[in-house]
Amino acid sequence: MLEDAQAPLLLTEERLRGRLEGYAGRLVSLDREQSRIAGASSVNPPGRTWPENAAYVIYTSGSTGRPKGAVVTHANVTRLFHATELLYHFGPQDTWTLFHSYAFDFSVWEIWGALFYGGRLVVATYWVSRTPEAFYELVADEQVTVLNQTPGAFHEFTRAASQKNRRLCLRWVIFGGDALHLESLKPWWEQHGDTGPALMNMYGITETTVHVTFRRVALNDLNEAPGSTIGQPIADLRVCLLDEYGQLAPWWGTPGEIYVGGDGLSRGYLNRPDVTAARFVPDPFSLKPGLRLYRTGDLGRYRRDGELEHLGRMDNQVKVRGFRVELGEVEAVLNQHAALRECAVIARDEEGGKRLVAYVVPQSENGITPSELYADMSEKLPAYMIPSEFVVLERLPLTPNGKVDRKALPDSPSGPSVPGTTYVAPRTRTEQILADIWSRLLRREPVGVHDNFFALGGDSIISIQVTARCNQAGLQMRPRQLFEHQTIAGLAQVVGEATMPAAPQAPVTGSAPLTPVQQWFMEQNLPSPQHYNQSVLLRARGLNAAGLERCIDALMRHHDSLRLRLRREGTTWHQYWSPAEAAPPFTCFDLCCLPAARRKAALEETAAALQRTLNLSSGSVIRVAQFRIGPGEDDRLLIIIHHLAVDGVSWRILLDDLETAYEQWRSGRPINLPWKTNSFQQWAGALENLARTEAVQQQLPYWLAPEWFRCPAPRDFSGALNTVASERVLELELGEEETEILLRQAPRLGQIGPREVLLTALGEVLTAWIGDSAVLIDIEDHGREEQLAGNIDLSRTVGWFTNIYPLLFHGDAQRDLVSRSLQLGDQLRSVPKRGIAYGLLRYLRPAEPPAEWPAAEVSFNYLGQLDPVLDPRGPFTPALEFAGPWRDTFGLRKYVLELSGAVQHGRLRVRWSYSHNVHFPNTIERLSEQFLQAVKNWIKQSQRERVVTERAVDLSLATLQGDDLENLLEELKASAGR
């Protein structure tokens, strides 16, 4: 079309009119068709242009992939320039460029902006527009005064300007077409300061005729809150922010979808009445009939100064590990980094879901490391919103319209299989040890040095295992260090080489006082106290009985609690540790001779009998049995230990050591288990000393407050015996996706975890059932609080460390579950000495104890994630057969209702234990269903709550705590129409 493809073209009004004549017939036909669709009674006659006639159709791609043609009238276009006239004072002295394709509506502003005011229009050829240096020369040569650019294109223009030293005549630089982050203008301001052309940011939509809002930006704006601020609507348009229910969002701070009304609204979409009706909706806030609002699909919020901030596209939303993530929000935070010029964030598909990848362009050649970016974003965003990779580019690819071409972003290297940060391999021996331990316990591979332990699925119980494995590998580490330094890179700086064990390694002998939980057990006065066990049933192929016996012997010599003995003198129990025994309590049962159909029953019958064979005083607190099932079948291994000698964390230690010992024996090596940590005997003595301290004694009034003494839980049968024999169990579970959200979302909303969520749901269900505003619940936790008793290390100590204390749960029907869980987290953190003082005062207090203590009839225990207990690559895996009753059926149950929860195989499972002598099964079924629904409601609310919670952070309310913060959240949600 052009004789010289490199030469600029001056487009006069006559030449443009000639080009448009060929489209006249099509526009008239279009106008007739649109009038027919709209049900117009008459059609403007051809041969004359009316304001309501169609001026052009521009197609937008849309999120569905099917383009939609937006029909814009002459009146839409002409009013655009009337409405902005006072902003710019354009005139015949101005020279514009036609930089953008006429298929992009920014070109409407460029073409008609010049011709409307009698100015000059310089058409940049395609190759000139794609070559920043050539375009810069064109702007300088033609003395352009009005430059219209997308932020991405202007970034390249700025780069070209830094390489040349020519005088520009620019009066205005007008941004549009993409989000403008002020940080990206720093290179321009570094070159020109505030002495250059005026800069205007204009946000617009094709369907609302190019521009909607405007904001003039200047250098001092960098001191304000970062983000893409788009200002205020132009004179004849108005903007509404509406929430998901169509209600007006609060004036400032709360995000909402941007709706546009006024004279700029186009007719709709060509031949798409269905889409037109969905996007151009009736204006509910106008008394004048027929007025419409256009749903932009963009998110925005008002700042305190009344300026509108653009937060990204709603259809730019992806789902990462069950969380909804707005890519625009991630980009907005990333753009705040001073070392970056620009960035783009996309979601890449990978096996099992999506991961976020960030493409960044540094400000200087010195660049920036991914670890620096990750550290910065970790302080501002939840873990699931932090990109898993950061790819450094010289520039971002652009579309012909000057927008970031996300489809052209290069494929990133294969990143880590978990979200968190770019994979950086271990660089030192310490980092390699930590990475291997994390990978095995968290079932993640590979694990990089910048990955976050809790973002990978770690919890407090797994942190104890990490500590034990580290000490085993020769690193000195305490569990609290993992909470203070949550990445391998950080943790490696504080853990040291362990040259010798910190705790005595000789077998423990002698006596020790009973701990609070042991006295809690003795207080129940069970008819068969020797039958109160914990057990595991494993399967393994080709077990060698002699080798297994050697391993059990090594475990008993190493772990003192397996040699625990108790004797009764009158009503008082005493505990002591026997010397290492010569023969471990090991038996091998051969079931091969039985019919195949009888073997399972024989195994379960034998297991049930073995459960009753422990002897606290003269026998052993452990029994081990091997079952040979038959040719081609895995053997079974049953391990039974009395609860007085073991707890849930202890099993992780024992099973890990069993695997280690058996592998060592099988490979012909000596059995050499890791160093022991402080003994249970030392822990018991430390607790006795702690109970005598004044700090603990002063807490007695707290635990004896009148509010702790509450009425018992309702019963369907009053006076019935709550026997073990009458116990029934109802188990329910969450799906994998919901469990994943629960595990990841709770820590991001506050200092809570799944335990607080489940306890909140339970408390709400029980208070509604009881008909009271409060309910007393006994809480169980692992109790291994190293700092509470002389800084003792228990990471590899076997014993019963459980801590039990009552919690008075206050129901509140006026608050939603998320707010209640946050409040409950505050309540748990405010419990003195994390509840351990209750047991110390009740069972170890030297003075005469009070006659009555608070007595809960409901217990709750969250066991954490059990999947990391056994390595699937190891010799042992869980078996499915029944291991026998763990306690004597003739005893009485301590609680009316017991709940225990754990995550297994990626699913949360909750067991409800009750007595059918006390409650109808349908009563418990109803309560359990309400409980499960409450947990699901929390999950749904928590995802919506993210916006409100982040708003609270935006308000800089770091000084607000407890009820003040909760009340504010309630006000925000109420004002948002939630």
Side-chain angles (χ1 to χ4, degrees), residues 103 112 144 256 324 355 478 484 508 572 587 710 767 769 813 915:
W112 296 104
V144 173
R324 296 189 184 96
R355 60 187 174 91
R478 291 296 178 89
E484 297 167 351
V508 171
T572 304
T587 311
R710 288 279 172 173
T767 52
W769 178 42
S915 168

Side-chain angles (χ1 to χ4, degrees), residues 781-844:
D781 60 35
H782 59 75
R784 297 174 185 243
E785 307 293 350
E786 56 174 333
Q787 293 176 298
L788 294 180
N791 208 27
I792 288 179
D793 181 7
L794 303 172
S795 59
R796 275 194 44 78
T797 307
V798 172
W800 192 8
F801 293 91
T802 302
N803 178 34
I804 303 175
Y805 63 94
L807 181 80
L808 189 63
F809 180 95
H810 294 276
D812 189 350
Q814 301 302 315
R815 291 188 174 185
D816 62 46
L817 290 168
V818 171
S819 299
R820 286 291 298 111
S821 64
L822 294 172
Q823 185 185 50
L824 181 63
D826 289 340
Q827 183 181 355
L828 287 170
R829 286 188 292 275
S830 68
V831 173
K833 293 288 185 182
R834 303 181 187 177
I836 200 170
Y838 174 81
L840 296 177
L841 289 167
R842 180 165 181 173
Y843 299 109
L844 303 184

